[in-house]
Amino acid sequence: MKKSVKTKLALLLTLILTVPAIAKADWGGWYDGNTSNTWYGDTEQGRISVNGIGRYEYRPENDSFYCFLESSSSQKSQDFLIIEDSIFGKPVTGLFYLVDDPSFYTVPSKGFYVPDSVTNLEITVFESAQFQNIYLSNALTMISKGAFRFCENLSQIQLPSNIKTICQDAFILCTSLKEIKIPNKVKTIQKNAFKNCKNLTKIYLPASVKTIEKNVFTGCDKLTIYCEKDSYAYKYAKRNKIKTKLLSNKTVKATQITNLPKSITVETHESYLLFPFIEPFYATNQKLAYISDDPSIAEVNQNGKVDGKKKGETTITVMTTDGSHLEKQVKVTVKKGEIALNPYFSLYQLEKGTTEFNVDAMLYNRNEKATYQIESSDSSIATAKIENGTLKVTAKKQGNAVFVVTEKKGKTKNEIGSFPISVDTNKKF
């Protein structure tokens, strides 16, 4: 069944930001596909929360979704946090952080993924976050004010190639940051951008940089600026008594791929993030290519995001694209994950009668030997059952209901989760 979100729709969805383990949710609001209505969902009950807390909010002015991260005193440990690139076919273009206490920031320990659909980062979006690595959308044109300030575990980062401005306080007090290449389109580095990054030893500043404001490298006592002779960066370094290493304007090829594990393990319907880097850090072409030997077991996109598909083993090859012909392999083991309800599964604007759906679109990692029951909060509106891998939904009358999904194995009964539905008997075509 096709889902549409039209321009006039003002919709606030509270959705999980990571691949789930077991999702359970109560729904306190309704989205019925009617563009004249606004669906928000109760702030306490209209939320799906597993390993992260957040929401996606529809913005009708640009027909896209924004992602909001929220602080939480009950956050759970996780390795990776992955922002979806689209919701209901609409791109996720903005990333924001609603913070009450930075110590409760819902972030992963190893890595964060901001998809290429995102064009806007809120100021201080990752303030005090303690992840080690991050993939940033290549659609970004600036690093926002204070975006990474106080990120004490961030040791290395590849900035998107389209960045033009690094704003004030962007990396202030990133005390583990050791080296960074500034992309060739950057023109301005605003004040305090790298202030007190005490372990920053290497930074490449391209000839495109024409403005470096006050105190950008204050407290970076170990720093060497890699730059071209007679460039603005070179003159700035000499004026401020910062060591330099001169580079020619010739192409510099990669000599090594680093920061890749030899093997990884991921569950079905889960993701793993690879964060390889190229040496030397100032190599001209930083782009890498990724290939999976068997995409039916594990897929990988060209940003290093690995998705487990089915149980098995395969190999992912990571290659340079600058003609240096370097490559490295990562062995991938995919294990079957736990049963889970697809956090984005919902049914709205159902017509009266019975409609069939693939049950695996609703249930992840379904046990073929178990039976599954669906209980409706209002059977006079709609009911559902699962037969031979098919979800059959019978819509009876106008209204909204909640379907609760339960797994039964022998005498054991386990509630998997719930999702909302709506029936529209007045639907016109």
Side-chain angles (χ1 to χ4, degrees):
M1 182 178 180
K2 294 183 179 180
K3 299 176 180 178
S4 62
V5 184
K6 298 181 181 178
T7 304
K8 294 182 180 180
L9 174 66
L11 166 64
L12 177 64
L13 282 177
T14 303
L15 294 172
I16 182 174
L17 300 180
T18 56
V19 177
I22 295 178
K24 296 184 178 181
D26 294 320
W27 293 82
W30 303 100
Y31 170 51
D32 61 6
N34 186 341
T35 58
S36 65
N37 294 335
T38 299
W39 182 81
Y40 283 96
D42 183 88
T43 55
E44 294 299 324
Q45 296 194 21
R47 168 175 292 160
I48 301 176
S49 174
V50 183
N51 290 330
I53 293 178
R55 69 175 188 261
Y56 293 100
E57 179 180 332
Y58 182 74
R59 293 300 178 95
E61 65 271 18
N62 57 13
D63 195 25
S64 69
F65 281 82
Y66 284 178
C67 174
F68 291 84
L69 304 177
E70 297 176 331
S71 57
S72 168
S73 59
S74 60
Q75 67 185 64
K76 295 183 179 181
S77 175
Q78 57 190 298
D79 287 338
F80 304 110
L81 188 62
I82 297 171
I83 306 302
E84 297 294 324
D85 60 5
S86 65
I87 300 293
F88 295 161
K90 303 296 180 180
V92 176
T93 60
L95 181 59
F96 297 80
Y97 175 38
L98 308 178
V99 60
D100 296 318
D101 184 341
S103 66
F104 293 150
Y105 196 170
T106 305
V107 295
S109 60
K110 291 184 179 180
F112 201 107
Y113 184 83
V114 182
D116 288 340
S117 61
V118 172
T119 58
N120 179 38
L121 296 180
E122 184 198 23
I123 62 172
T124 67
V125 62
F126 299 114
E127 178 182 355
S128 300
Q130 298 308 310
F131 50 72
Q132 299 169 17
N133 298 287
I134 186 169
Y135 173 80
L136 283 176
S137 165
N138 205 42
L140 295 172
T141 57
M142 74 173 184
I143 302 298
S144 58
K145 179 179 178 182
F148 293 95
R149 67 181 184 182
F150 316 140
C151 292
E152 296 177 351
N153 288 343
L154 186 66
S155 61
Q156 200 167 0
I157 183 173
Q158 182 174 329
L159 297 180
S161 59
N162 291 313
I163 293 294
K164 296 179 181 179
T165 303
I166 298 176
C167 294
Q168 176 182 338
D169 300 340
F171 294 93
I172 191 170
L173 275 167
C174 288
T175 53
S176 294
L177 189 63
K178 296 178 180 178
E179 59 185 35
I180 188 169
K181 179 185 179 183
I182 304 303
N184 289 326
K185 293 182 181 179
V186 171
K187 295 181 179 180
T188 302
I189 304 176
Q190 295 181 0
K191 63 182 181 180
N192 304 327
F194 295 93
K195 185 177 180 181
N196 291 329
C197 293
K198 62 182 182 180
N199 289 307
L200 183 62
T201 59
K202 302 175 184 178
I203 187 168
Y204 170 79
L205 296 179
S208 61
V209 173
K210 301 300 181 184
T211 302
I212 301 176
E213 296 182 358
K214 292 182 179 180
N215 301 318
V216 167
F217 299 113
T218 299
C220 302
D221 299 332
K222 304 175 183 178
L223 183 63
T224 297
I225 292 178
Y226 288 61
C227 58
E228 295 178 23
K229 189 175 181 179
D230 296 328
S231 64
Y232 176 89
Y234 176 77
K235 295 174 183 178
Y236 169 88
K238 290 299 182 183
R239 189 167 61 250
N240 289 275
K241 299 180 180 181
I242 300 174
K243 290 185 292 184
T244 60
K245 182 175 178 62
L246 294 181
L247 302 173
S248 71
N249 58 4
K250 295 181 180 179
T251 298
V252 178
K253 289 188 177 182
T255 59
Q256 189 179 6
I257 301 173
T258 64
N259 202 46
L260 271 178
K262 292 183 179 180
S263 62
I264 63 173
T265 299
V266 62
E267 293 185 353
T268 50
H269 295 285
E270 283 193 344
S271 298
Y272 192 105
L273 301 178
L274 299 174
F275 294 101
F277 291 101
I278 285 177
E279 293 293 343
F281 80 99
Y282 54 85
T284 304
N285 183 353
Q286 301 276 324
K287 183 66 177 175
L288 292 166
Y290 301 81
I291 297 176
S292 173
D293 283 356
D294 191 341
S296 70
I297 293 175
E299 284 185 347
V300 61
N301 72 5
Q302 292 309 301
N303 300 327
K305 183 168 76 75
V306 181
D307 295 319
K309 293 297 181 181
K310 71 177 182 180
K311 186 178 179 180
E313 292 185 351
T314 189
T315 299
I316 287 173
T317 302
V318 184
M319 302 173 290
T320 55
T321 61
D322 63 353
S324 57
H325 305 295
L326 300 176
E327 63 178 52
K328 274 194 172 183
Q329 281 76 40
V330 179
K331 180 181 177 182
V332 182
T333 300
V334 179
K335 296 182 177 180
K336 187 173 182 179
E338 296 182 20
I339 181 73
L341 187 68
N342 179 349
Y344 305 110
F345 191 81
S346 62
L347 302 173
Y348 56 84
Q349 287 189 316
L350 288 177
E351 297 178 78
K352 190 175 181 180
T354 299
T355 308
E356 295 186 353
F357 304 88
N358 184 340
V359 71
D360 292 322
M362 176 189 71
L363 279 176
Y364 289 159
N365 307 316
R366 182 167 54 96
N367 188 335
E368 298 290 345
K369 295 181 180 180
T371 58
Y372 296 90
Q373 298 175 342
I374 300 179
E375 183 180 351
S376 174
S377 63
D378 191 336
S379 58
S380 69
I381 293 174
T383 58
K385 60 183 178 180
I386 297 173
E387 289 183 348
N388 301 320
T390 300
L391 170 63
K392 297 182 178 181
V393 180
T394 301
K396 299 178 180 179
K397 71 175 184 180
Q398 185 96 9
N400 304 308
V402 172
F403 282 168
V404 178
V405 183
T406 303
E407 180 186 57
K408 188 176 181 182
K409 291 187 292 185
K411 296 182 180 180
T412 304
K413 200 173 183 181
N414 177 40
E415 182 180 317
I416 304 302
S418 59
F419 62 91
I421 70 161
S422 70
V423 178
D424 185 2
T425 57
N426 297 319
K427 192 172 180 181
K428 296 180 180 180
F429 295 90

